[in-house]
């Protein structure tokens, strides 16, 4: 085995987005494309000697190859040890858990999350810091800076390592430990939730379907739900990770997990349904005949946190991404704890959790989590709901309705316009930004605009500033229109329009969400010239 320095040329466009670098697999397959990015991470870290790194991914196409490349390069940079999940598998939350539990200096997550996989699909890579969470912008900016000036990378010429057998190996002077991808994570879940109560629930005939969407949550769900909690075999469906996710979008929302939603709509539907995404950090919660919006789910979890042993002492605060509905804010107010509004992307929650300022975090994009790790956590949310269902004895629909009756209902929807021509999308945002200074105070379609701005976040812990995080138009009655461009797409631009309307009156809680939001959607279209500029008469996906 020898360590080599290889000459290379920089690639343009290796800027990490909302959650790491995501590109088409074909782009990653270009010679040295992955190596350049990994070297840029290591260059940013500086001296890696003696450090421990955790590596794993969601099992999608290119995952195994990427891990071999990273192992050889880590060995060439003097890492003392790399922990890698068996078969190259580690869900994003499990990787966060392992980094924290084993005191690693960081981790590399290989995933494009909810984006499709396979040779024609997407791949992704993300660096997580020692707290187990996504690297903050300061670091991702530095990595990007390195990708632009890179001229060489260092690697070992060692052969392929067998990732399928648990145990130790060595590359150059570096120890490699292939670990059980589920064990540490499952143990942590057992500390947070009342497993005895959930076990008793299943023993009593409670039925559930968990849709793994052929992605990485399958092994975790099999082991925890069907193994530790005694749910009958067959509770977990699509539970074997496939390199192409069976050709589907592993995105747990009512559109892409339509099969589960249909299953939950029939008369003898299971009591509870849930799904998770490509890398298992997202979750969808479905009751009999009701899909819970992620914003409501966060609010309901916050309002009932005390049912789970890990949260009995109460929560310190909540943080939600700006486009997420304000339902959690109302709970925070009732609990007399702070609620922080951050830009989109889990990396902005890390500082707040590290500083002990918040316990629960969430995003409208089916992401919920807590300070037990530093990533959003799909199965964690599902286990929280199971704990709540066991403790309350009430069905999902009743819990949701009671929550609305107490706090009011935040009608909510996100409209995505995917693969729009980038120039048209940028122009739309510019057009909106130009109107911002004059919107406040205007009365449009019966709404009075209270605030109109392009969201700027000042991190209360380190004072760092993130600007241009989305155009928001907030009405005096709490209704909101938010526009931003996606930072995870790999084709053209994706425009996201977020709509929210608050209804205190219980008599008004029964409308279909799209109907309740139709007026705001029309207003948003008019302000942005959405349909005219994109040439589309409806969104690609509505959730
Ligand atoms: C999307 C979501 C965002 C989420 C991000 C990563 O980003 O909107 O809330 O944090 O995906 O989630 P964007 O920039 O496309 O809107 V995951 O599960 O794809 O890592
Ligand atoms: Co994900």
């Amino acid at each position: 085995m020898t360590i080599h320095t290889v000459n290379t040329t920089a690639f343009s466009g290796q800027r990490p987005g909302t959650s790491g670098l995501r590109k088409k697999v074909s782009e990653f397959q270009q010679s040295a494309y992955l190596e350049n990015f990994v070297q840029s991470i290591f260059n940013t870290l500086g001296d890696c000697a003696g450090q421990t790194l955790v590596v794993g991914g969601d099992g999608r196409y290119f995952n195994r190859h990427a891990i071999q490349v990273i192992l050889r390069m880590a060995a060439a940079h003097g890492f003392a040890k790399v922990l890698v999940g068996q078969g190259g598998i580690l869900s994003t939350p499990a990787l966060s858990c392992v980094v924290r539990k084993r005191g690693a200096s960081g981790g590399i997550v290989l995933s494009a999350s909810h984006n499709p996989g396979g040779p024609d699909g997407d791949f992704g890579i993300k660096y997580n810091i020692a707290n187990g969470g996504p690297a903050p912008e300061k670091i991702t900016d530095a990595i990007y800076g390195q990708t632009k000036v890179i001229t060489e990378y260092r690697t070992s010429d060692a052969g392929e390592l067998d990732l399928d057998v648990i145990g130790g190996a060595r590359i150059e002077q570096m120890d490699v430990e292939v670990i059980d991808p589920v064990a540490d994570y499952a143990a942590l879940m057992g500390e947070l939730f009342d497993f005895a109560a959930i076990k008793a629930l299943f023993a009593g005939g409670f039925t559930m379907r968990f849709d793994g969407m052929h992605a990485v949550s399958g092994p975790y769900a099999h082991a925890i739900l069907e193994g530790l909690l005694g749910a009958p075999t067959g509770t977990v469906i699509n539970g074997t990770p496939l390199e192409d996710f069976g050709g589907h979008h592993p995105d747990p929302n009512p559109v892409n997990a339509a099969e589960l939603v249909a299953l939950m709509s029939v008369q003898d539907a299971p009591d509870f349904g849930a799904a998770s995404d490509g890398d298992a950090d997202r979750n969808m919660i479905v009751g009999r005949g009701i899909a819970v919006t992620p914003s409501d789910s966060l609010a309901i979890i916050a309002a009932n946190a005390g049912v789970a042993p890990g949260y009995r002492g109460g929560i310190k605060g909540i943080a939600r991404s700006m486009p997420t509905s304000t339902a959690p804010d109302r709970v925070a107010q009732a609990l007399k704890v702070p609620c922080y509004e951050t830009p989109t992307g889990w990396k902005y929650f890390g500082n707040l959790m590290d500083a002990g300022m918040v316990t629960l975090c969430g995003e409208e994009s089916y992401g919920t989590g807590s300070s037990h790790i530093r990533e959003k956590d799909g199965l964690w949310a599902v286990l929280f709901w199971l704990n709540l269902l066991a403790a309350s004895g009430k069905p999902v629909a009743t819990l949701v309705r009671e929550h609305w009756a107490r706090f009011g209902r935040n009608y909510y929807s996100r409209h995505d316009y995917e693969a729009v021509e980038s120039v048209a999308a940028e122009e739309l945002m510019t057009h909106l930004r130009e109107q911002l200074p004059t919107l406040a105070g205007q009365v449009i379609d019966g709404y009075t605009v209270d605030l109109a701005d392009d969201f700027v976040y000042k991190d209360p812990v380190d004072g760092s500033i993130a600007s241009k995080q989305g155009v928001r138009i907030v009405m005096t009655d709490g209704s909101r229109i938010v526009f931003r461009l996606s930072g995870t797409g790999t084709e053209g631009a994706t425009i996201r329009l977020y709509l929210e309307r608050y209804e205190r009156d219980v008599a008004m809680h029964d409308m279909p969400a799209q109907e309740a939001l139709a007026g705001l959607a029309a207003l948003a279209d008019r302000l942005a010239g959405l349909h005219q500029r994109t040439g589309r008469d409806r969104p690609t996906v509505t959730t």
Side-chain angles (χ1 to χ4, degrees):
M1 285 190 281
T2 324
I3 292 168
H4 297 275
T5 300
V6 183
N7 290 332
T8 189
T9 344
F11 288 90
S12 63
Q14 290 197 322
R15 181 197 279 280
T18 311
S19 182
L21 179 70
R22 287 189 194 172
K23 299 285 177 192
K24 292 271 171 225
V25 166
S26 54
E27 204 159 341
F28 268 102
Q29 283 171 326
Q30 297 171 86
S31 171
Y33 190 90
L34 174 67
E35 286 83 348
N36 275 16
F37 193 77
V38 174
Q39 184 66 49
S40 299
I41 295 175
F42 293 161
N43 286 347
T44 303
L45 298 181
D47 185 9
C48 308
Q51 298 189 7
T52 297
L53 186 71
V54 184
V55 181
D58 63 9
R60 69 177 60 219
Y61 185 80
F62 206 64
N63 190 45
R64 282 178 177 265
H65 170 75
I67 289 180
Q68 299 287 351
V69 168
I70 293 166
L71 287 174
R72 287 194 292 266
M73 289 184 66
H77 285 81
F79 277 91
K81 187 170 189 170
V82 172
L83 298 164
V84 52
Q86 187 181 21
I89 293 284
L90 272 176
S91 75
T92 294
L95 180 133
S96 185
C97 166
V98 172
V99 168
R100 295 170 68 79
K101 189 163 175 175
R102 310 281 185 111
S105 50
I108 295 181
V109 185
L110 301 164
S111 172
S113 188
H114 57 289
N115 297 19
D120 300 324
D122 293 348
F123 190 74
I125 176 168
K126 179 174 81 166
Y127 182 69
N128 281 22
I129 57 175
N131 73 356
E137 229 160 30
K138 200 174 77 193
I139 295 178
T140 56
D141 284 349
I143 295 172
Y144 178 51
Q146 290 291 329
T147 68
K148 293 193 282 192
V149 296
I150 190 167
T151 55
E152 56 185 40
Y153 66 84
R154 256 179 308 137
T155 188
S156 158
D157 61 5
E160 300 254 303
L161 208 79
D162 186 352
L163 299 176
D164 293 309
V165 184
I166 287 183
R170 261 179 107 79
I171 304 177
E172 306 289 349
Q173 302 302 307
M174 183 182 85
D175 285 324
V176 179
E177 191 185 339
V178 177
I179 59 168
D180 176 343
V182 179
D184 286 354
Y185 177 81
L188 178 58
M189 293 302 113
E191 289 166 23
L192 299 175
F193 299 111
D194 187 347
F195 272 22
I198 303 174
K199 246 178 128 162
L201 184 73
F202 281 120
F206 179 89
T207 52
M208 170 181 183
R209 282 296 171 282
F210 177 91
D211 190 346
M213 305 190 87
H214 292 302
V216 83
S217 64
Y220 297 85
H222 277 303
I224 296 173
L225 299 176
E226 296 175 352
L228 297 173
L229 296 171
T233 307
T235 297
V236 177
I237 56 171
N238 302 322
T240 306
L242 299 176
E243 286 201 328
D244 67 348
F245 310 119
H248 300 296
H249 277 251
D251 197 356
N253 59 45
V255 175
N256 289 305
E259 192 189 330
L260 178 70
V261 173
L263 189 83
M264 294 303 296
S265 317
V266 298
Q267 230 190 358
D268 56 350
D271 297 301
F272 184 51
S276 191
D277 73 329
D279 59 335
D281 58 354
R282 296 187 180 201
N283 73 91
M284 178 173 69
I285 300 297
V286 196
R288 230 180 240 161
I290 182 169
V292 185
T293 70
S295 305
D296 279 349
S297 178
L298 173 62
I300 292 167
I301 288 173
N304 295 282
V307 300
Y311 305 92
R312 255 179 211 147
I315 58 167
K316 291 180 176 141
I318 308 174
R320 61 160 177 83
S321 67
M322 183 274 280
T324 302
S325 99
T326 53
D329 304 42
R330 298 175 193 281
V331 177
Q333 208 178 8
L335 294 174
K336 299 194 170 56
V337 297
C339 186
Y340 299 90
E341 189 172 39
T342 60
T344 295
W346 210 261
K347 59 179 175 252
Y348 297 103
F349 294 136
N351 275 352
L352 297 172
M353 289 193 273
D354 284 351
M357 292 160 78
V358 301
T359 305
L360 299 175
C361 301
E363 296 191 272
E364 53 67 40
S365 53
Y366 296 82
T368 332
S370 89
S371 52
H372 65 292
I373 54 170
R374 293 293 180 274
E375 289 277 6
K376 55 188 185 272
D377 189 345
L379 209 47
W380 172 89
V382 174
L383 290 167
F384 194 101
W385 270 90
L386 280 170
N387 200 146
L388 173 57
L389 294 166
S392 68
K394 293 174 184 170
V396 174
T398 308
L399 289 166
V400 172
R401 295 201 149 273
E402 287 180 358
H403 186 89
W404 290 342
R406 181 169 166 211
F407 294 97
R409 176 172 181 184
N410 292 74
Y411 281 103
Y412 189 82
S413 180
R414 185 175 103 183
H415 294 187
D416 292 337
Y417 292 77
E418 294 176 351
V420 171
E421 204 206 314
S422 298
V423 175
E426 289 294 349
E427 282 173 4
L428 176 142
M429 292 303 292
T430 306
H431 174 64
L432 279 166
R433 286 191 188 107
E434 281 165 2
Q435 298 173 62
L436 292 174
T438 53
L439 275 179
Q442 278 195 45
V443 181
I444 329 171
D445 291 359
Y447 287 104
T448 307
V449 179
D450 186 30
L451 174 141
D453 70 355
D454 195 348
F455 182 58
V456 179
Y457 178 63
K458 182 167 183 217
D459 185 307
V461 179
D462 65 15
S464 60
I465 296 204
S467 51
K468 292 183 112 174
Q469 296 297 321
V471 164
R472 57 176 179 175
I473 300 161
V474 185
M475 313 302 177
T476 46
D477 70 350
S479 297
R480 297 193 310 160
I481 293 171
V482 175
F483 276 100
R484 60 179 282 281
L485 300 185
S486 157
T488 60
T490 57
E491 258 180 78
T494 291
I495 300 168
R496 303 205 195 284
L497 162 62
Y498 309 81
L499 302 164
E500 174 179 3
R501 169 180 157 192
Y502 179 65
E503 276 298 343
R504 183 73 198 87
D505 183 2
V506 182
M508 300 287 282
H509 287 177
D510 289 313
M511 282 179 277
Q514 297 310 323
E515 199 177 289
L517 296 164
L520 278 173
L523 176 54
D525 179 30
R526 204 138 47 74
L527 289 172
L530 185 57
H531 294 164
Q532 179 237 321
R533 284 169 190 276
T534 59
R536 314 270 177 89
D537 59 1
R538 69 176 71 93
T540 324
V541 181
T542 300
T543 52

